Amino acid sequence: MTSIWTPHLHPDERIIWSASISARLVRADLARQRLLAILTFLPSTIVAALLSVVFLGSIAPRDHINPDAMLAPIYFAFALAIAVLAVAQLFKLARPRQPEAAHYAATSRRLIALDAAGAITAEMPADEIGDVMAGGSRPDLAVLRRDEDSQAPAFPIRFIDRPLEAKAIIEENYVPPAPPEG
């Protein structure tokens, strides 16, 4: 049987650790994204509507000079900006952000991430691996590069069931021990 990793491995490379994303964690993240979009959309819509009413009231014709007329452009700008925020939340509801990678592996030579179709989405050579940080509410892992001045991004590992176990394996196999203090 051929694994999803076989086409991507070099001849002298072997898998040390691998994991696939958890459907449960992805569903929970999508639900969180939708909830935040709704919680942002509702008040944004109300505030944009109220600012629109104030704007229309400030430009309405009157018998005497309206001092709010000078603020009309500001009311309009804020109403428009908050309306754009509200509409953006609708797009987030329609298309929540999906995970880029579906599978992760640590090999004898590098870290690899594959998408659901089996194409490589990210990789990091073993000699560039620095510190491994766990953080967030799940937690997620971020594998930092050894060269702090590097412009290359960190290697994210998200939505896996046992991230701390993965962190320990990656640190054991790639991260050099800290020099003794003194």
Side-chain angles (χ1 to χ4, degrees):
M1 182 175 120
T2 304
S3 84
I4 59 172
W5 302 106
T6 304
H8 303 291
L9 295 178
H10 299 129
D12 60 339
E13 194 173 24
R14 64 182 171 75
I15 300 285
I16 297 169
W17 164 85
S18 69
S20 295
I21 61 173
S22 164
R24 176 185 56 83
L25 293 174
V26 171
R27 279 192 311 273
D29 186 65
L30 292 175
R32 181 190 61 79
Q33 287 181 52
R34 287 184 183 108
L35 178 64
L36 288 174
I38 290 168
L39 291 176
T40 305
F41 172 78
L42 293 174
S44 298
T45 303
I46 293 168
V47 170
L50 291 173
L51 283 170
S52 297
V53 168
V54 172
F55 165 72
L56 292 173
S58 68
I59 63 169
R62 297 194 180 159
D63 293 336
H64 52 44
I65 296 176
N66 183 0
D68 286 342
M70 291 188 316
L71 298 175
I74 294 173
Y75 294 143
F76 178 77
F78 279 122
L80 183 62
I82 294 175
V84 167
L85 174 66
V87 170
Q89 300 314 305
L90 292 177
F91 286 107
K92 284 185 180 180
L93 279 172
R95 289 190 203 152
R97 194 175 63 231
Q98 298 287 332
E100 290 179 21
H103 310 281
Y104 298 98
T107 73
S108 54
R109 296 174 61 182
R110 62 195 165 144
L111 294 175
I112 310 172
L114 301 180
D115 64 11
I120 293 178
T121 61
E123 61 184 313
M124 181 184 284
D127 60 346
E128 291 183 20
I129 296 171
D131 198 15
V132 182
M133 297 178 58
S137 59
R138 282 182 288 283
D140 288 333
L141 298 179
V143 181
L144 305 177
R145 297 195 183 263
R146 209 173 268 168
D147 179 14
E148 293 176 5
D149 295 331
S150 172
Q151 296 299 314
F155 186 91
I157 300 175
R158 303 187 66 213
F159 304 113
I160 62 172
D161 278 324
R162 296 188 309 256
L164 298 180
E165 179 181 306
K167 180 181 186 300
I169 291 169
I170 292 169
E171 287 177 338
E172 179 181 313
N173 286 286
Y174 298 117
V175 179
E181 293 182 31

